[in-house]
Amino acid sequence: MNEAKLAPDERHRYGRHLVLPGIGEAGQLRLKSAKVLCIGAGGLGSPVLLYLAAAGVGTIGIVDFDSVDLSNLQRQIIHGEGDVGSLKTESARASINKINSAIDVVLHQDGLTRENALQIIESYDLVIDATDNFATRYLINDACFLAKRPCIWGSVYRFDGQVSVFCAPAGPCYRCLHPEPPAKELAPNCATGGVFGSLCGTIGSLQATEVIKLITGVGNPLIGRVLTYDALSAESEVISLNRNPECTLCGENATQSELLPDYESFCSLSLFTHNAGATPEISVHDLAAMRSSAAQFQLIDVREVEEWSQGYIDGAALIPQGEIFDGSSIERISRELPIVLYCRSGVRSLHCADALFQAGFTEVVSLAGGIQAWDLYSQHV
């Protein structure tokens, strides 16, 4: 039986790989026979797909249901102006083919769902999570663990990025890092919070590097480690992450053995959920997180004018409690955005929240401890 070898044109194309210790022809042949799935053809998926195509990964699957928009071009470098309006999968395939026509590109244009996730993922050797929402991240993680496929995860928000490898044998999964999704108001949103365009190239390139390391066996992949990168300071840190023995998916007494019925519901928990008989409160930490995550909400000070003149939380509007109780200022409060109320210590704002619930508002919380707690918190951050 003849041993597989690279063709002369392949040896020429991948010559810079062939001379690398630990890769050589054997490693390049492993790349050629590998099947890699990239979920997402946006900011992170763009550099991942381009570098994997250039590296000679034989089969690349692309999952994405979205179309190219002009606003994507600031960071999604696999697409161009002429691709606006086209499916991202089609545009990405065209760019891959320009780099390397020998790559077999498989398109999954319906996106990833609970119904198709395992079937799609089981057809590949490795999976790249290049998505930007928590529901899909948890779905990918769970499907990769159940299918026994490593998941190379990346995340970007504003000027910060993270990379790790999950679901590898004996390694942790994404749930070991984030056992539960954040409340939807705290979930980072690049559309409102922004993302530094070139940061996608940095993190996506790191993801592609991890893929190549895993396929060829060279180096030490980020299994059990999370790399964080701050683009503003150009500082990075690698944090150890062990498998969580209490993890519901991969822990010693795991309780989850299949995909969840509804990942959107699982990731739609709200700080503003109102249970009968209990007025919801949020902590100063949650309020700070909402502000830093660019969440859209109304912050209302229900104290009196004299108290307001002595200081207030930036971004707040003053509506004294009497104007809430008598309804004279209800029209100033939008029913379309969540509401955070605060007073001096958190007592009056609880009563005002109850009054707004009775007036038909549905997303209202009181700041526990009021402005006193906020001032104390602000002094220590």
Side-chain angles (χ1 to χ4, degrees), residues 4-305:
K5 291 185 178 181
L6 295 172
D9 63 327
E10 292 175 317
R11 295 187 62 82
H12 181 62
R13 175 190 283 267
Y14 305 116
R16 302 301 188 275
H17 265 178
L18 301 184
V19 297
L20 285 175
I23 295 185
E25 185 162 358
Q28 193 63 49
L29 286 168
R30 284 194 287 271
L31 288 168
K32 182 179 179 179
S33 62
K35 296 182 177 181
V36 177
L37 178 68
C38 184
I39 304 174
L44 292 176
S46 291
V48 168
L49 291 167
L50 293 174
Y51 272 112
L52 294 186
V57 172
T59 301
I60 298 177
I62 309 174
V63 178
D64 206 310
F65 63 86
D66 204 3
S67 298
V68 180
D69 183 81
L70 185 63
S71 65
N72 300 150
L73 304 186
Q74 167 252 6
R75 64 204 174 280
Q76 300 182 17
I77 58 173
I78 203 167
H79 313 297
E81 291 181 353
D83 300 314
V84 172
S86 303
L87 288 172
K88 288 185 179 179
T89 49
E90 297 284 0
S91 172
R93 178 169 61 182
S95 295
I96 288 172
N97 287 339
K98 289 179 182 178
I99 293 174
N100 196 336
S101 60
I103 305 299
D104 181 17
V105 183
V106 182
L107 305 185
H108 304 275
Q109 298 175 333
D110 294 328
L112 199 74
T113 66
R114 183 189 187 279
E115 289 69 32
N116 66 19
L118 283 172
Q119 181 181 3
I120 292 175
I121 286 173
E122 287 173 345
S123 301
Y124 294 87
D125 304 315
L126 302 117
V127 176
I128 300 156
D129 180 352
T131 61
D132 61 358
N133 69 87
F134 283 95
T136 308
R137 286 175 186 166
Y138 280 97
L139 171 59
I140 294 170
N141 174 78
D142 295 359
C144 283
F145 178 80
L146 296 173
K148 296 181 173 58
R149 299 293 190 272
C151 174
I152 297 83
W153 166 77
S155 173
V156 293
Y157 179 63
R158 291 183 171 170
F159 299 97
D160 300 316
Q162 303 176 64
V163 185
S164 190
V165 176
F166 295 122
C167 301
C173 76
Y174 181 72
R175 289 178 180 272
C176 296
L177 179 64
H178 297 294
E180 295 181 347
K184 65 181 182 180
E185 294 82 18
L186 306 184
N189 185 334
C190 291
T192 55
V195 62
F196 194 44
S198 60
L199 174 65
C200 296
T202 303
I203 301 302
S205 296
L206 287 169
Q207 286 181 278
T209 298
E210 292 303 303
V211 172
I212 295 170
K213 287 160 60 178
L214 286 166
I215 293 172
T216 62
V218 70
N220 183 21
L222 285 169
I223 299 171
R225 298 180 297 152
V226 179
L227 185 151
T228 66
Y229 176 72
D230 180 344
L232 291 183
S233 65
E235 293 179 342
S236 62
E237 181 180 5
V238 177
I239 303 166
S240 295
L241 177 69
N242 296 321
R243 178 176 282 190
N244 180 5
E246 304 300 322
C247 178
T248 58
L249 184 68
C250 71
E252 296 172 1
N253 300 302
T255 57
Q256 182 182 341
S257 59
E258 58 184 19
L259 298 179
L260 297 181
D262 187 348
Y263 283 86
E264 290 294 338
S265 297
F266 174 66
C267 294
S268 296
L269 300 176
S270 173
L271 292 171
F272 296 85
T273 301
H274 180 220
N275 298 318
T279 302
E281 293 182 287
I282 64 167
S283 68
V284 291
H285 300 277
D286 286 339
L287 177 58
M290 287 176 64
R291 289 159 63 93
S292 64
S293 69
Q296 300 296 304
F297 67 100
Q298 303 166 91
L299 181 61
I300 298 176
D301 188 325
V302 300
R303 298 174 302 156
E304 301 305 316
V305 174

Side-chain angles (χ1 to χ4, degrees), residues 299-304 307 311 313 321 340-352 366-375:
L299 181 61
I300 298 176
D301 188 325
V302 300
R303 298 174 302 156
E304 301 305 316
E307 296 174 282
I313 300 176
Q321 63 173 349
V340 178
L341 305 176
Y342 75 88
C343 59
R344 179 174 179 271
S345 64
V347 176
R348 284 175 285 176
S349 55
L350 279 173
H351 296 309
C352 290
S366 170
L367 178 63
I371 195 170
Q372 288 181 322
W374 178 261
D375 287 343

